[in-house]
Amino acid sequence: MKHFFTIIWTCLLSAFLLGCGQISETRVIKLAHGLDVKHSVHLSMLKMGEDLKKISGGKMELEIYPNQQLGTERECLELIQIGSLDMTKVSSGVMENFSPKMKVFGLPFLFRDREHIFNVLDGPIGKQLLDGGTKYWLKGIGYYDAGSRSFYTKDNPINTPEDLAGLKIRVMESVTAIEMVKSLGGSPTPISWGELYTSLQQGVVDGAENNPPSFYLSRHYEVCKYFALDEHTSLPDIIVVGTHLWDRLSDQERVWMQEAVDRSVVYQRKLWAEAETEALEEVQKAGVKIIRPDKTLFSDQVKDVYDQYKDNPEMYSLIQNIKETK
């Protein structure tokens, strides 16, 4: 009888240990973002998850929550800070509230063209900026393309900066974005992305500023019939992982994750270029007038924005280094 109970106990213990082994065998990483499932960001995260599972041999996988299921971009960052979420995607405009140097991306007309943007993001400056939020438990591990932001409005076409005078323009929770719209004569109004469609409908704001795919996929073109492609800022999206998770990963797991992220970045940038073309075509079909204003009128208007950084040697040096990047 004693031998029988010993066998039973051994079997139970083995089953328990096997079960524990199975639980710890796969590390499930929770990732949340605020965009639609058709957006290039979500599609690229699906690829990231597929690649991560394949690269790690099934030891790591992503659990993705789109469409603000777990909150706004800022709320997702706060969830990461307390360890309730592992990863997210945020605009650098939101990230600047946690990593101050990120505000450089919100400066108007800083970049010459897309090649210049990618050379900065993928070079030493970009890599240095990704680590800027680690003391707030937020580590950047990659940049997605978010194109250039332009103004769209309900009733008033924007051909010159003077056309923005008196208009309430929705901006992100970004000091830099607020200053930029003010410098152009508009009235900046911070509103969360999820509340913007209703705010436009109800006249809380007269317009907003964003990139073509976001304008299209949000269906804001149903309310706003003018899209002025002044391309005032080029704020990348940041893939952020919490240091609570990163510090628990082994060196090998970090390599796997970084490789999956890097692959998704290449994929997302390709999808983004296609999405921009499609977005502009579709909103025009829906009756939106695409305006291509003289950008120099806008860039000349915001030159004073840069003067305020002359008293901040660190930021001013960063700005000059970006401008000098080939």
Side-chain angles (χ1 to χ4, degrees):
M1 181 65 71
K2 183 177 180 182
H3 179 65
F4 173 76
F5 282 117
T6 300
I7 293 173
I8 295 296
W9 170 250
T10 302
C11 289
L12 289 171
L13 181 60
S14 298
F16 173 76
L17 291 174
L18 182 60
C20 289
Q22 289 173 337
I23 291 172
S24 61
E25 227 173 65
T26 301
R27 187 188 290 277
V28 179
I29 297 168
K30 291 185 178 180
L31 184 160
H33 67 86
L35 297 172
D36 185 87
V37 294
K38 296 179 182 177
H39 200 285
S40 65
V41 163
H42 182 74
L43 297 175
S44 301
M45 286 178 171
L46 291 177
K47 175 174 173 54
M48 186 196 303
E50 291 168 2
D51 285 342
L52 182 60
K53 189 172 184 178
K54 184 177 180 180
I55 294 167
S56 68
K59 292 186 172 72
M60 299 176 75
E61 61 182 53
L62 293 183
E63 197 172 89
I64 304 173
Y65 299 85
N67 282 318
Q68 289 193 358
Q69 288 180 35
L70 300 187
T72 64
E73 291 197 338
R74 187 184 185 97
E75 288 167 344
C76 283
L77 288 177
E78 290 168 348
L79 286 174
I80 286 178
Q81 287 181 309
I82 62 174
S84 296
L85 182 65
D86 299 317
M87 292 179 68
T88 191
K89 184 288 305 178
V90 296
S91 169
S92 56
V94 175
M95 191 65 180
E96 74 179 44
N97 296 294
F98 301 83
S99 181
K101 285 186 181 178
M102 285 280 181
K103 70 172 61 174
V104 74
F105 292 125
L107 292 174
F109 304 101
L110 176 63
F111 297 102
R112 295 185 298 274
D113 49 37
R114 299 299 277 278
E115 184 181 6
H116 183 207
I117 295 168
F118 292 144
N119 287 343
V120 170
L121 297 182
D122 299 336
I125 294 174
K127 294 185 189 308
Q128 181 185 18
L129 288 170
L130 286 176
D131 287 329
T134 51
K135 63 181 177 180
Y136 301 107
W137 307 285
L138 303 167
K139 178 178 176 59
I141 54 174
Y143 293 101
Y144 278 166
D145 189 4
S148 296
R149 301 174 75 90
S150 296
F151 293 109
Y152 53 89
T153 48
K154 289 177 63 178
D155 306 311
N156 305 85
I158 306 299
N159 292 289
T160 68
E162 287 72 27
D163 294 328
L164 284 163
L167 296 186
K168 292 175 289 185
I169 302 296
R170 178 267 176 181
V171 294
M172 295 180 289
E173 293 182 51
S174 159
V175 173
T176 315
I178 290 170
E179 291 173 351
M180 183 270 298
V181 172
K182 280 183 179 177
S183 69
L184 290 170
S187 177
T189 308
I191 294 175
S192 75
W193 181 245
E195 297 173 359
L196 181 52
Y197 187 99
T198 304
S199 297
L200 287 165
Q201 270 187 322
Q202 297 176 349
V204 176
V205 288
D206 301 300
E209 47 92 46
N210 216 315
N211 53 62
S214 294
F215 176 55
Y216 171 52
L217 291 174
S218 63
R219 305 187 75 86
H220 291 172
Y221 66 87
E222 295 175 346
V223 185
C224 295
K225 294 302 181 182
Y226 299 100
F227 195 9
L229 298 178
D230 67 304
E231 298 182 321
H232 46 262
T233 52
S234 299
L235 288 84
D237 280 339
I238 317 294
I239 305 164
V240 178
V241 62
T243 57
H244 297 293
L245 171 67
W246 190 257
D247 292 344
R248 290 200 310 269
L249 298 181
S250 67
D251 289 342
Q252 181 62 74
E253 287 175 319
R254 291 178 184 176
V255 169
W256 288 335
M257 177 177 283
Q258 190 64 62
E259 184 176 347
V261 168
D262 291 345
R263 289 187 187 184
S264 77
V265 165
V266 174
Y267 184 66
Q268 190 272 340
R269 290 179 184 179
K270 176 178 176 293
L271 290 184
W272 182 268
E274 296 169 355
E276 279 193 331
T277 301
E278 179 191 10
L280 290 174
E281 290 174 353
E282 292 301 319
V283 298
Q284 285 183 90
K285 289 178 186 177
V288 172
K289 182 179 180 182
I290 302 297
I291 301 164
R292 290 180 167 81
D294 181 353
K295 294 180 186 179
T296 59
L297 298 176
F298 292 82
S299 59
D300 289 346
Q301 185 88 7
V302 297
K303 284 180 178 177
D304 291 347
V305 170
Y306 287 88
D307 292 337
Q308 63 185 295
Y309 293 99
K310 288 182 178 178
D311 295 331
N312 184 335
E314 196 172 14
M315 276 297 292
Y316 196 70
S317 175
L318 175 60
I319 292 167
Q320 297 310 309
N321 289 338
I322 288 175
K323 286 184 175 181
E324 291 167 7
T325 299
K326 302 299 183 184

